[in-house]
């Protein structure tokens, strides 16, 4: 098992910077997309359950999730290219 102190400082810095960029990108998402994205990608809730929680059809959940992922790619592309 790796321990955080086993990583070199520059690796820890890159990890923190990456995490910060991802958090900023999530905050840029419009609320209706952010909500679905977080429930799916962070909390690993199935799409059908997200639909029930948010009173959305399965198609609406899938559409919002697809759009949220596309926006995240666009937001993060300059950082990772």
């Amino acid at each position: 098992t790796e321990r955080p102190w086993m990583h070199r400082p520059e690796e820890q810095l890159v990890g923190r910077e990456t995490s910060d960029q991802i958090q900023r990108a999530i905050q840029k998402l419009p609320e209706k997309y952010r909500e679905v994205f977080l429930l799916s990608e962070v909390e690993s809730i199935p799409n059908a359950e997200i639909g029930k929680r948010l009173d959305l059809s399965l198609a609406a959940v899938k559409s919002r999730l697809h759009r949220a992922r596309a926006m995240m790619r666009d937001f993060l592309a300059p950082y990772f290219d």
Side-chain angles (χ1 to χ4, degrees):
T1 306
E2 290 190 32
R3 306 270 189 258
W5 50 265
M6 293 176 68
H7 297 285
R8 297 184 313 206
E10 57 273 8
E11 290 173 345
Q12 290 178 6
L13 180 61
V14 168
R16 262 193 310 272
E17 288 176 357
T18 300
S19 179
D20 289 348
Q21 288 295 330
I22 291 169
Q23 289 301 318
R24 281 190 214 107
I26 290 170
Q27 291 307 310
K28 288 182 184 179
L29 290 172
E31 180 64 28
K32 70 181 187 177
Y33 299 113
R34 185 179 336 133
E35 193 171 37
V36 171
F37 183 83
L38 289 172
L39 289 172
S40 177
E41 300 300 325
V42 176
E43 296 186 31
S44 300
I45 296 173
N47 289 349
E49 177 63 25
I50 294 170
K52 287 178 189 174
R53 287 188 184 195
L54 302 179
D55 195 27
L56 296 170
S57 69
L58 183 57
V61 171
K62 289 180 178 182
S63 176
R64 288 183 185 189
L65 187 55
H66 176 75
R67 289 182 181 148
R69 287 174 177 155
M71 284 186 259
M72 288 293 290
R73 276 191 300 273
D74 290 345
F75 295 151
L76 294 170
Y79 182 73
F80 290 105
D81 282 348

